[in-house]
Amino acid sequence: MRHFKGYCLFLLFTLLLTGCVGLEKEISPSSTKLTIESYNMSDIESLLISKTGVDHIEFFKLNGTLKEDDDLQYSVDVFENGKFKEEVLKTWGEIETNHKDSIISFGISDNGEDNHSLKLINGIPSGLATTFYSNNMTMYTFRNLIDEKVTLEKNKPIYLAAWLGTTKNEMRSAGGENGELPSGIEESELAFLYKVLWTEKE
């Protein structure tokens, strides 16, 4: 009888372990999706941001889990006269692989010391990257490009925010599908588009 109980306990323990291994495979990062959505600031948060000197900024929430061989790249695409010129503020090499309401952001400020340049601000989960860009635009628009939660697709860029500038007397605001390259950049002389890309590690 004692051997029978021992055998039953061993069998139960083995089944339990097998079930845990199956569960581990079921929630593996390979099946986890990555999503981004706008983060709406409270009144007090907006007030605090207004005291930092940042003229325009948009915040977003990132959720999901990266596989070991995957990475997220955050950057700003620069367009001049509607054509792609360069990519700036590119950051990659994710330190964090699990994201639960991780905050990312894109902001722009006039450089107080030099009226002919803008400070671009790229807020990523592990820190902050900034650069300056020359600017002689007399009119601009800045807006969020996503209205709802967006699911990332591998190797497909998602555009989250846009700054468009011109020296002309009028321009239209950027528009388009949720996270797609917006219309309106062809009419701007200078445009900055904040981009996130899910890709393989470099």
Side-chain angles (χ1 to χ4, degrees):
M1 186 71 167
R2 184 180 294 172
H3 292 296
F4 179 74
K5 282 184 180 177
Y7 176 77
C8 286
L9 282 174
F10 176 76
L11 186 61
L12 186 62
F13 183 72
T14 304
L15 288 172
L16 184 63
L17 279 179
T18 305
C20 288
V21 169
L23 181 63
E24 204 171 282
K25 286 182 181 175
E26 192 177 325
I27 60 172
S28 165
S30 63
S31 63
T32 304
K33 65 180 182 180
L34 295 163
T35 62
I36 296 178
E37 61 188 302
S38 294
Y39 175 79
N40 298 316
M41 289 188 290
S42 66
D43 290 341
I44 190 68
E45 288 171 328
S46 297
L47 179 62
L48 290 171
I49 291 297
S50 73
K51 306 299 181 187
T52 65
V54 176
D55 296 326
H56 307 285
I57 192 161
E58 289 287 343
F59 293 92
F60 305 91
K61 286 192 297 186
L62 171 65
N63 283 286
T65 305
L66 286 171
K67 291 192 299 182
E68 189 176 334
D69 296 331
D70 286 346
D71 199 3
L72 283 177
Q73 295 179 358
Y74 310 88
S75 63
V76 177
D77 282 354
V78 181
F79 287 77
E80 286 190 356
N81 299 311
K83 295 184 179 176
F84 176 79
K85 181 185 178 187
E86 62 181 321
E87 187 178 41
V88 298
L89 284 178
K90 183 175 178 181
T91 60
W92 66 94
E94 272 291 306
I95 296 172
E96 300 173 29
T97 56
N98 297 313
H99 296 281
K100 179 158 177 56
D101 292 338
S102 295
I103 299 294
I104 59 175
S105 64
F106 174 58
I108 291 188
S109 287
D110 288 325
N111 181 12
E113 300 172 4
D114 179 5
N115 292 329
H116 298 291
S117 70
L118 293 170
K119 183 179 184 181
L120 309 182
I121 305 161
N122 181 2
I124 60 175
S126 58
L128 189 70
T130 62
T131 192
F132 292 94
Y133 206 93
S134 62
N135 167 54
N136 62 351
M137 302 298 109
T138 54
M139 182 183 291
Y140 65 86
T141 179
F142 180 81
R143 67 164 294 202
N144 182 331
L145 295 176
I146 62 171
D147 298 323
E148 56 192 40
K149 185 183 290 187
V150 176
T151 301
L152 275 70
E153 296 178 33
K154 199 161 189 180
N155 299 316
K156 180 184 176 184
I158 296 291
Y159 295 96
L160 301 178
W163 182 99
L164 309 180
T166 185
T167 57
K168 299 171 185 171
N169 291 330
E170 60 180 27
M171 69 178 299
R172 68 179 171 131
S173 180
E177 295 296 321
N178 219 21
E180 300 287 335
L181 188 67
S183 59
I185 60 172
E186 64 278 358
E187 296 176 13
S188 64
E189 294 168 61
L190 179 63
F192 302 112
L193 300 179
Y194 179 49
K195 179 179 76 177
V196 176
L197 178 65
W198 174 23
T199 186
E200 298 282 337
K201 276 189 179 172
E202 293 187 356

